[in-house]
Amino acid sequence: MQTMLLYLLIMAVVIAAVFALVWFVFGRGEDLPPVERGTTLTRLPRAGITGDHVRQLVFSQSLRGYSAAEVDWAMEKLARELDELRGVVLDLQARDGTDHPHVADGDPAER
């Protein structure tokens, strides 16, 4: 019985030594330090957001789903981009309707 306990004790010491060695040599296995609280890895370009940018969005998960702050940020960014694009479209439509009366007349040489 004592021999068995001695073997278990030696095995525990060897396992602890190997674990400590691996811990110090390889670290905790993290490539990057943890993200600071209140920051996010979710990224979108400042302007010119494309469908691929939106498809590549990744939100961090919390206990009850995705991080609401990250989703709200992304939705606001997309809403601003859509508003800007809608404004450009309306400006172009207005310019085409008022600045180019010959296009409305149907003159094919002016197109």
Side-chain angles (χ1 to χ4, degrees):
M1 183 68 172
Q2 289 179 347
T3 307
M4 182 69 95
L5 288 175
L6 185 61
Y7 285 141
L8 287 174
L9 181 62
I10 291 172
M11 188 181 342
V13 169
V14 169
I15 289 173
V18 169
F19 179 79
L21 178 69
V22 170
W23 177 273
F24 287 115
V25 170
F26 297 109
R28 295 186 337 196
E30 295 177 359
D31 293 334
L32 298 172
V35 178
E36 293 181 19
R37 190 173 203 81
T39 61
T40 179
L41 294 178
T42 305
R43 299 280 185 251
L44 281 172
R46 292 190 185 277
I49 298 172
T50 65
D52 287 336
H53 292 125
V54 176
R55 287 181 198 96
Q56 293 172 356
L57 277 177
V58 177
F59 300 108
S60 63
Q61 293 194 354
S62 63
L63 185 61
R64 298 183 62 178
Y66 293 117
S67 171
E70 289 183 19
V71 174
D72 291 343
W73 172 83
M75 295 299 286
E76 178 61 31
K77 181 108 172 147
L78 292 172
R80 277 187 265 130
E81 183 81 11
L82 285 174
D83 289 343
E84 181 182 328
L85 291 174
R86 180 70 61 196
V88 169
V89 168
L90 291 174
D91 288 346
L92 290 174
Q93 287 174 345
R95 188 174 67 184
D96 284 345
T98 58
D99 291 344
H100 301 292
H102 56 274
V103 174
D105 295 337
D107 185 4
E110 295 293 327
R111 291 185 188 177

